[in-house]
Amino acid sequence: MNKELIIDSRANEVEIALLEDKQLVELNRERKNNSHIVGDIYLGRVKKIMPGLNAAFVDVGYEKDAFLHYLDLGPQLNSLLKFIKIGQSADQKVNMDSFVIEPDIEKTGKITSVLKSNQNILVQIAKEPISTKGPRISSEISFPGRYIVLVPFSNRISISQKIKSQEERNRLKRLIQSIKPKNFGVIIRTVAENKNVAELDTDLRNLVGKWEIMVTKLKDAKSPEKIISELDRTSAILRDLLNKDFNSVIVNDSELAEEIRSYIMTIAPDKVDIIKIHKSKIPIFEQYGIDKQVKLSFGKTVSIKSGVYLIVEHTEAMHVIDVNSGHRLNTDKTQETNALEVNLEAAAEIARQLRLRDMGGIIVIDFIDMHEASNRRKLFQKLVEEMAKDSTKHTILPPSKFGLVQITRQRVRPEMNVEVLEKCPACEGSGKIKPSILLIDEIENNIRYLINEQNENFLTIAINPYIYAYFTKGLFSLQIKWFLKYKKFIRLKSIASYHILEYHFFNKNAEEIKI
């Protein structure tokens, strides 16, 4: 599969599009001043304990306090609190080699037994602020890298279940065991498969270095304060997705391109040449067809090439997707066969839509009814295969007897929403336009003003083709009458994309004259 990352850097935000075989599958927007990104580590202060919820609200500097449930404390909470106490004391420094790990907290304990108000605690953002809610946080700190995830206060080594070979699993475990520092656990990621010890060791050292930076910053930190920032969205996508199929990263900002190049040098030096700078005058998203795909893919109705279309509705509790066959109908096949083909086609698009819009929570899909159990199994298998491309945690239930499929998908940031409906340029959304009979007088008044008062010697008027035809018809057209009246030849330009009453004036340098 051919993967491309197209990055549009603007003044206040960076927009990142992931293409798979030229098809848009993920779209991310990252504000350059954005705070509270998933993975950031803060020194927070417990504001309020809520025994009824078995949770606490923690001040991490956001307008709404972050939510910390007992189940998100992590079993090593006692070790973390001890580390914070030592790390913030003036006369001691944390040495993980000699650090004594405390016993794990009870899985079914009460939050009042382990936390108290105004207590400092290290937390990691697990879910960005969404709507009126503050961030969701966890005190189970981890440092994700290219091949491994480093987990302090643990000595456990875990291996991704996607690595099937028992021989490879044993090899990786032996390698990590030989290089892992004391009192650090390691989760081995899928991309670590068949990697040599040097690559794994480099990744491990980078993460241990990040931990040491955190230890240094913690000493003088005052809550609430950010201690360590997660990678920006661009680098995080590269870290998690970069593989042999990833063959180009195209960016329209040379400074950002250099930052990405430096990052790729640390995780995959052999891939540094895939970075390219977009130099064309055509906007980068227009050049690569992303703008058009965005317009086609967002909104309430999503059309698929064969005529099948989806209706996507959002509620507070869930997302609902309705599959419609449209005009796709093969009269040579049975209704059951047609329904299966439509559903399989829709399943692929639905999997793409979930990634593209980053829809989370509960998703209910109403597929076209199929009576044969074997066809329902085929649909379920197809959906599982397509959703396997999605790295976000999700669960899919088989089709019910009503033809409904339920999916839960982890939500860690607000859903991507792109407004595809445009305000009518003629009525500005009011549903009413100026009287067309006044258009000629309005244009002539502007001509008189520009020639007589602004001394414009060269004018071009861009107008709708119908208005162009009216202005140029006959031997003594309006264009000729203007020439005789103003002693200047006013050029007219027909623009098919203009609405009926739209017009613009341009000077000799083809620059628009604002009136």
Side-chain angles (χ1 to χ4, degrees):
M1 184 182 291
N2 175 25
K3 290 185 180 179
E4 296 174 287
L5 202 65
I6 313 296
I7 305 169
D8 182 12
S9 178
R10 295 191 288 272
N12 297 319
E13 69 177 7
V14 177
E15 199 161 7
I16 308 155
L18 175 62
L19 305 182
E20 291 181 354
D21 294 332
K22 303 297 181 183
Q23 186 178 41
L24 180 66
V25 294
E26 287 186 23
L27 187 66
N28 293 278
R29 282 180 181 160
E30 179 187 357
R31 287 205 164 272
K32 291 187 176 177
N33 61 352
N34 189 26
S35 59
H36 299 88
I37 293 174
V38 171
D40 286 353
I41 297 174
Y42 284 79
L43 179 65
R45 182 170 59 87
V46 178
K47 287 286 290 293
K48 189 185 293 184
I49 304 290
M50 304 293 289
L53 297 174
N54 204 17
F57 286 100
V58 180
D59 180 12
V60 292
Y62 189 69
E63 56 185 302
K64 296 272 188 180
D65 290 335
F67 183 77
L68 177 63
H69 193 272
Y70 183 88
L71 296 176
D72 295 322
L73 291 173
Q76 303 91 18
L77 178 69
N78 290 329
S79 298
L80 177 68
L81 295 176
K82 178 181 174 181
F83 161 76
I84 296 168
K85 187 176 180 180
I86 297 172
Q88 292 208 292
S89 63
D91 55 345
Q92 293 189 65
K93 184 178 178 181
V94 179
N95 185 340
M96 288 298 282
D97 286 338
S98 57
F99 187 87
V100 179
I101 293 177
E102 297 294 313
D104 290 353
I105 62 173
E106 294 179 28
K107 288 184 179 180
T108 56
K110 300 294 183 183
I111 200 161
T112 50
S113 64
V114 290
L115 290 183
K116 58 187 178 183
S117 294
N118 295 316
Q119 181 177 5
N120 283 349
I121 183 170
L122 273 174
V123 293
Q124 192 163 26
I125 304 294
K127 183 187 288 187
E128 291 180 16
I130 296 174
S131 186
T132 58
K133 298 177 182 177
R136 181 78 182 254
I137 54 177
S138 168
S139 61
E140 195 166 10
I141 306 296
S142 63
F143 295 87
R146 175 81 177 115
Y147 303 116
I148 63 174
V149 178
L150 188 70
V151 183
F153 315 119
S154 169
N155 284 297
R156 184 179 175 185
I157 298 175
S158 304
I159 304 173
S160 167
Q161 293 182 352
K162 292 182 181 179
I163 300 177
K164 302 298 182 184
S165 167
Q166 191 58 48
E167 184 180 345
E168 177 62 11
R169 293 173 71 87
N170 292 338
R171 183 189 76 90
L172 288 170
K173 193 166 187 176
R174 286 196 305 271
L175 282 180
I176 294 299
Q177 193 69 59
S178 66
I179 61 176
K180 181 184 74 67
K182 188 179 177 182
N183 291 331
F184 284 101
V186 170
I187 301 169
I188 302 172
R189 307 181 72 174
T190 308
V191 288
E193 191 169 11
N194 299 320
K195 298 300 177 184
N196 58 44
V197 66
E199 291 174 294
L200 297 175
D201 186 60
T202 300
D203 200 28
L204 179 62
R205 298 302 150 206
N206 288 338
L207 297 178
V208 171
K210 206 169 182 179
W211 163 264
E212 290 172 350
I213 291 171
M214 191 188 81
V215 172
T216 304
K217 286 187 174 182
L218 180 63
K219 188 173 183 63
D220 301 316
K222 305 291 181 186
S223 61
E225 184 177 327
K226 184 188 288 189
I227 305 295
I228 289 286
S229 288
E230 168 62 308
L231 296 169
D232 58 70
R233 192 74 57 80
T234 313
S235 298
I237 289 171
L238 286 170
R239 179 194 66 201
D240 296 339
L241 298 180
L242 193 64
N243 56 35
K244 64 180 185 301
D245 297 328
F246 222 107
N247 68 345
S248 64
V249 178
I250 305 164
V251 58
N252 62 352
D253 182 274
S254 55
E255 187 176 329
L256 181 58
E258 195 54 45
E259 289 177 17
I260 297 170
R261 186 175 283 109
S262 299
Y263 175 68
I264 290 184
M265 280 295 292
T266 64
I267 64 167
D270 58 314
K271 286 280 188 180
V272 75
D273 293 332
I274 68 175
I275 301 164
K276 301 167 188 173
I277 298 177
H278 176 75
K279 295 180 178 178
S280 171
K281 291 182 179 179
I282 301 172
I284 187 168
F285 272 20
E286 185 179 334
Q287 174 88 26
Y288 292 93
I290 295 166
D291 281 340
K292 186 175 181 180
Q293 288 196 54
V294 167
K295 294 290 185 185
L296 287 170
S297 302
F298 284 85
K300 180 178 176 179
T301 304
V302 179
S303 298
I304 306 174
K305 285 183 179 179
S306 65
V308 178
Y309 65 96
L310 310 174
I311 303 293
V312 184
E313 296 275 10
H314 308 283
T315 73
E316 190 68 25
M318 67 181 71
H319 308 278
V320 182
I321 302 175
D322 183 34
V323 177
N324 292 277
S325 59
H327 59 258
R328 188 190 193 284
L329 185 64
N330 190 329
T331 54
D332 295 332
K333 297 179 180 178
T334 64
Q335 181 181 349
E336 182 79 6
T337 304
N338 279 324
L340 176 62
E341 290 180 357
V342 168
N343 285 340
L344 293 178
E345 191 172 3
E349 179 61 25
I350 287 167
R352 183 178 82 101
Q353 284 289 321
L354 299 189
R355 291 176 68 189
L356 186 56
R357 301 184 189 218
D358 204 6
M359 291 162 64
I362 300 171
I363 300 109
V364 177
I365 308 160
D366 182 14
F367 285 100
I368 295 173
D369 287 346
M370 295 183 297
H371 301 293
E372 295 180 19
S374 59
N375 288 338
R376 291 197 292 271
R377 284 194 297 271
K378 287 177 184 176
L379 171 61
F380 177 67
Q381 190 57 41
K382 174 71 172 177
L383 204 50
V384 169
E385 289 173 6
E386 294 294 335
M387 289 294 292
K389 302 172 186 175
D390 188 355
S391 58
T392 302
K393 291 180 183 177
H394 59 269
T395 304
I396 308 170
L397 296 182
S400 71
K401 63 180 180 180
F402 298 119
L404 301 178
V405 171
Q406 298 170 71
I407 299 175
T408 60
R409 187 174 183 272
Q410 186 181 29
R411 178 166 62 176
V412 296
R413 58 181 62 90
E415 178 192 346
M416 171 60 66
N417 184 36
V418 177
E419 188 58 62
V420 296
L421 297 179
E422 300 173 354
K423 184 185 285 187
C424 171
C427 70
E428 295 294 329
S430 69
K432 298 176 181 179
I433 62 173
K434 293 180 291 185
S436 56
I437 196 170
L438 302 180
L439 177 68
I440 311 304
D441 291 341
E442 186 178 294
I443 291 176
E444 187 160 353
N445 287 339
N446 287 327
I447 292 171
R448 183 170 59 251
Y449 168 75
L450 291 171
I451 292 177
N452 294 340
E453 298 186 33
Q454 298 297 315
N455 298 316
E456 290 285 352
N457 293 318
F458 185 104
L459 282 180
T460 298
I461 310 176
I463 47 180
N464 177 276
Y466 290 104
I467 305 300
Y468 176 88
Y470 179 76
F471 282 176
T472 56
K473 72 174 183 177
L475 183 61
F476 286 99
S477 64
L478 276 173
Q479 189 179 27
I480 297 299
K481 289 177 181 177
W482 290 337
F483 173 71
L484 296 173
K485 183 175 181 179
Y486 299 109
K487 304 299 185 285
K488 301 271 191 312
F489 187 75
I490 297 162
R491 291 158 180 80
L492 300 175
K493 187 176 182 181
S494 173
I495 306 291
S497 62
Y498 282 13
H499 67 82
I500 190 73
L501 301 183
E502 185 177 3
Y503 64 90
H504 298 279
F505 287 92
F506 297 89
N507 62 19
K508 64 180 178 181
N509 297 321
E511 298 168 341
E512 185 177 353
I513 303 169
K514 299 291 184 182
I515 300 175

